[in-house]
Amino acid sequence: MPIRGYRYGGGASGSKQLGRGNVATAGLNSTVPLLMAQPTYAPETKLWGGQFALGLGFGWGNTTTDTDLAITGITTELNRGDSVTGFTYLYPIVSLAWSEGNNNRMTYVTGDIPTGDYDSRRLANIGIGHVAVDMGGGGYTYFDAAKGIEFSSVVGVTYNLENSGTGYRNRIDAHLD
């Protein structure tokens, strides 16, 4: 079972001109280093000519988020930081893959089960606060080991349930990786 490192770092900032020459400036920075694992079981028996597999992904890590707000002219500064260390959600996956020479295809269903650290009142979270189901996706990989060439692509559609802590819902989104 391979364990992989994952790191996200990002930020946003902006400013707005206010009346009487004052300026409001805000910024946000966040880092998320995680260790992820996904044990998978793939029986030898073929299903519809393909390789069937069941997996369950999970991880552990830390999220740190810092924000700041400054308003010139009235000398107001607000700074807030938050950090949380804990487990990610669980990510089950069921897949079926076929291989013919250099061409490899697969289809899958995956999602997330909210078991990790999430609290809508915190600035930093490891979880996203809602259940999501990748209702179906497919992938293609061309792999020629002799020539050292590989091309991979995955497409899917995700159905997102409501975040009960915030009342927000993404609905349906599509992705191409």
Side-chain angles (χ1 to χ4, degrees):
M1 169 181 63
I3 296 177
R4 296 196 168 107
Y6 171 85
R7 184 185 186 285
Y8 168 82
S13 64
S15 62
K16 175 78 173 160
Q17 184 73 35
L18 303 175
R20 299 184 183 169
N22 296 329
V23 177
T25 305
L28 177 128
N29 287 298
S30 190
T31 58
V32 184
L34 300 171
L35 289 176
M36 302 292 292
Q38 184 170 328
T40 302
Y41 172 70
E44 290 185 33
T45 305
K46 299 293 183 191
L47 179 63
W48 298 310
Q51 180 64 59
F52 175 74
L54 292 169
L56 182 65
F58 58 92
W60 182 86
N62 173 271
T63 299
T64 301
T65 303
D66 295 303
T67 64
D68 59 76
L69 172 67
I71 303 174
T72 62
I74 58 175
T75 319
T76 298
E77 288 191 28
L78 302 171
N79 296 305
R80 182 173 171 213
D82 191 18
S83 183
V84 62
T85 300
F87 290 98
T88 66
Y89 288 7
L90 296 177
Y91 303 99
I93 185 167
V94 177
S95 66
L96 190 56
W98 299 267
S99 181
E100 295 175 29
N102 295 337
N103 298 296
N104 304 278
R105 293 176 302 283
M106 69 94 137
T107 186
Y108 69 90
V109 175
T110 189
D112 71 60
I113 301 169
T115 56
D117 287 304
Y118 177 82
D119 183 338
S120 63
R121 297 165 296 188
R122 274 197 318 240
L123 186 59
N125 281 293
I126 293 177
I128 56 176
H130 70 275
V131 173
V133 179
D134 214 351
M135 301 180 297
Y140 172 78
T141 296
Y142 177 83
F143 178 62
D144 187 334
K147 294 181 182 176
I149 298 172
E150 178 184 354
F151 167 81
S152 295
S153 180
V154 175
V155 64
V157 176
T158 306
Y159 181 78
N160 298 282
L161 280 73
E162 183 176 309
N163 179 323
S164 61
T166 63
Y168 181 76
R169 183 171 169 196
N170 290 9
R171 303 261 177 198
I172 297 174
D173 63 69
H175 59 88
L176 173 63
D177 306 310

